[in-house]
C-alpha cells in the first residue's frame, strides 16, 4: 500500500510539472499571437525596397527567420500557412505591381533582364540582401498571363494567395516594367495553428493540474487505522517512558535533598555539642582557683600558727 502511495505522489509531482510547462507554453503562444497578428496574420515590419533595376525577385521567400528562439521554426514552415499576404506601397509615384507565380515561369520571364534577386530576409528587424543581375528591360508584367496571383495599384497593391504545394516566387515591379523600383513592402502569413496550439496547451495544462491534485491527494491522504493505532501505541510508549524518566529524576532530587538535610542536621548537632563542651569546662577551672587559693591560704595560716606556737614554746 505504501508503494502505491509513493508512486502516486511521484507521478503527481510529474503531472504538476507538466501542467506548469503546458500552461506557460500555451500562454506564451497566445501572447505571441496577440502581439504579432493582425486579422489572423503574422505580420512583419516594413521592408523598404529600393533597387535600381526593373524588379525585385524573391525566389524562395522565408518569413520564419526571426521566430523567437523558444518557438520551433518548423512550426512556422510554409506548409503550415493558410494564406500569405504581400502589401506594397509605391513611393516613386508609379503604379506598383506585385506578382506570384511558379519559380520556373518567373525565371524564364526575368532571364536576361536587369533585376535584383533577393537572397535572404529577416523580419524583426526587417532587413534583406539582394544580388543584382544585369540585363535588358523586361516586358511589362501586367501583359503576362503566367501569374498565379497578382495585384496592382497606384498607391497600394495587396496580394493574397492561399498557399499551395510547389516552388513559388514573388516579384515587385513597376506596372510598366520601368526602373528604378521604390516601394515599402509588408509581408504577412496566416498561421492559425499558433492560437489553436496555445488554447490546446492551456486546456491540457489545466487537465494535468487536476490530475496532479488527485494523485497527490490520494498519495498523501490519511493512513489506515492499523497504522494510526501503531502510531498511537508508539506515542503512548514514549509518553510512559517520559513520565518514568521524570519520576526517576524527581526521586533522585528528593533523595539528594534528604541527604543534604541530614548532613545539615548532623553538622548542626556537632556544632551544638562542641559549644556545650566548651561552656562546661571553662567555669570548672575558674572554680578551682578559689579552692586553690583557699588551700593556699589555709596552708599559710597553718604555717603561721605553727610558727606562733614555736615562738611561745621558746
Amino acid at each position: 500500500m505504501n508503494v502505491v502511495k509513493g508512486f502516486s505522489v511521484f507521478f503527481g509531482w510529474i503531472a504538476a510539472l507538466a501542467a506548469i510547462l503546458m500552461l506557460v507554453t500555451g500562454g506564451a503562444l497566445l501572447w505571441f499571437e496577440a502581439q504579432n497578428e493582425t486579422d489572423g496574420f503574422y505580420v512583419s515590419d516594413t521592408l523598404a525596397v529600393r533597387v535600381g533595376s526593373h524588379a525585385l525577385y524573391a525566389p524562395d521567400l522565408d518569413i520564419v527567420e526571426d521566430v523567437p528562439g523558444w518557438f520551433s521554426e518548423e512550426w512556422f514552415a510554409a506548409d503550415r500557412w493558410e494564406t500569405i499576404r504581400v502589401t506594397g506601397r509605391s513611393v516613386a509615384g508609379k503604379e506598383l505591381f506585385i506578382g506570384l507565380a511558379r519559380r520556373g515561369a518567373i525565371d524564364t520571364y526575368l532571364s536576361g533582364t536587369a533585376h535584383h534577386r533577393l537572397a535572404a530576409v529577416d523580419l524583426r528587424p526587417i532587413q534583406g540582401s539582394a544580388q543584382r543581375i544585369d540585363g535588358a528591360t523586361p516586358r511589362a508584367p501586367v501583359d503576362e498571363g503566367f501569374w498565379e496571383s497578382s495585384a496592382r495599384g497606384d498607391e497600394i497593391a495587396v496580394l493574397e494567395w492561399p498557399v499551395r504545394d510547389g516552388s513559388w516566387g514573388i516579384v515587385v515591379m513597376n506596372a510598366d516594367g520601368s526602373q528604378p523600383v521604390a516601394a515599402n513592402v509588408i509581408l504577412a502569413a496566416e498561421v492559425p495553428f499558433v492560437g489553436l496550439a496555445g488554447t490546446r496547451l492551456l486546456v491540457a495544462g489545466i487537465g494535468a493540474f487536476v490530475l496532479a491534485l488527485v494523485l497527490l491527494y490520494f498519495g498523501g491522504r490519511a493512513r489506515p487505522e492499523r497504522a494510526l493505532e501503531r502510531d498511537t501505541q508508539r506515542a503512548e510508549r514514549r509518553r510512559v517512558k517520559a513520565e518514568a524518566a521524570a519520576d526517576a529524576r524527581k526521586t533522585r532530587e528528593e533523595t539528594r535533598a534528604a541527604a543534604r538535610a541530614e548532613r545539615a542536621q548532623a553538622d548542626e548537632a556537632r556544632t551544638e555539642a562542641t559549644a556545650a563542651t566548651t561552656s562546661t569546662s571553662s567555669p570548672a577551672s575558674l572554680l578551682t582557683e578559689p579552692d586553690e587559693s583557699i588551700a593556699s591560704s589555709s596552708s599559710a595560716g597553718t604555717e603561721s600558727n605553727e610558727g606562733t606556737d614555736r615562738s611561745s614554746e621558746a
Side-chain angles (χ1 to χ4, degrees):
M1 188 66 180
N2 291 333
V3 174
V4 174
K5 289 181 177 294
F7 275 109
S8 179
V9 172
F10 175 74
F11 287 110
W13 281 113
I14 291 180
L17 293 175
I20 293 173
L21 179 61
M22 287 187 286
L23 290 173
V24 171
T25 305
L29 282 171
L30 293 178
W31 174 86
F32 178 78
E33 179 186 35
Q35 295 294 319
N36 294 278
E37 285 198 353
T38 302
D39 298 331
F41 284 80
Y42 178 75
V43 182
S44 74
D45 294 330
T46 301
L47 175 64
V49 176
R50 305 289 188 272
V51 296
S53 62
H54 296 280
L56 175 65
Y57 173 35
D60 188 15
L61 185 62
D62 183 1
I63 70 169
V64 301
E65 290 293 330
D66 196 55
V67 172
W70 36 271
F71 287 147
S72 171
E73 292 187 0
E74 295 179 358
W75 293 2
F76 290 82
D79 59 355
R80 293 182 178 270
W81 305 346
E82 287 193 0
T83 305
I84 64 171
R85 176 192 293 166
V86 182
T87 303
R89 180 186 296 272
S90 176
V91 296
K94 296 182 179 182
E95 185 179 14
L96 189 66
F97 175 87
I98 302 174
L100 181 145
R102 293 192 178 273
R103 288 181 56 182
I106 298 177
D107 288 340
T108 300
Y109 168 67
L110 294 177
S111 177
T113 65
H115 65 278
H116 280 74
R117 190 181 185 95
L118 188 65
V121 61
D122 294 334
L123 295 185
R124 297 186 185 277
I126 188 134
Q127 57 186 355
S129 60
Q131 178 185 4
R132 179 183 173 89
I133 300 175
D134 294 326
T137 302
R139 299 181 301 273
V142 295
D143 297 333
E144 302 297 324
F146 61 84
W147 302 108
E148 176 73 19
S149 178
S150 63
R152 56 189 293 185
D154 292 334
E155 293 185 0
I156 297 177
V158 180
L159 180 149
E160 284 195 8
W161 177 68
V163 175
R164 293 193 296 132
D165 291 338
S167 298
W168 307 92
I170 296 177
V171 172
V172 178
M173 304 175 64
N174 294 325
D176 58 2
S178 62
Q179 63 177 355
V181 179
N184 294 329
V185 177
I186 296 176
L187 309 175
E190 188 179 19
V191 191
F193 91 94
V194 176
L196 181 62
T199 302
R200 289 180 177 177
L201 283 173
L202 285 179
V203 173
I206 294 172
F209 184 74
V210 173
L211 176 63
L213 290 179
V214 172
L215 291 174
L216 292 174
Y217 170 76
F218 283 105
R221 66 177 180 175
R223 288 173 294 175
E225 295 181 359
R226 193 173 296 175
L228 290 177
E229 290 178 1
R230 288 197 297 269
D231 288 348
T232 303
Q233 292 173 357
R234 293 193 190 97
E236 182 64 21
R237 286 196 293 269
R238 287 194 295 269
R239 185 186 64 80
V240 171
K241 289 181 180 179
E243 291 180 354
D247 292 340
R249 286 194 298 271
K250 184 177 180 180
T251 301
R252 287 195 297 272
E253 291 176 356
E254 290 177 351
T255 302
R256 293 192 188 98
R260 287 194 297 270
E262 290 178 358
R263 285 196 298 271
Q265 290 178 358
D267 292 341
E268 184 179 356
R270 284 195 296 271
T271 302
E272 291 178 355
T274 302
T277 303
T278 303
S279 60
T280 302
S281 58
S282 296
S285 62
L286 292 174
L287 288 175
T288 55
E289 290 178 358
D291 293 339
E292 291 176 357
S293 300
I294 293 172
S296 300
S297 299
S298 299
S299 300
T302 304
E303 292 177 355
S304 177
N305 290 334
E306 289 178 356
T308 304
D309 292 337
R310 281 192 299 268
S311 299
S312 298
E313 291 177 358

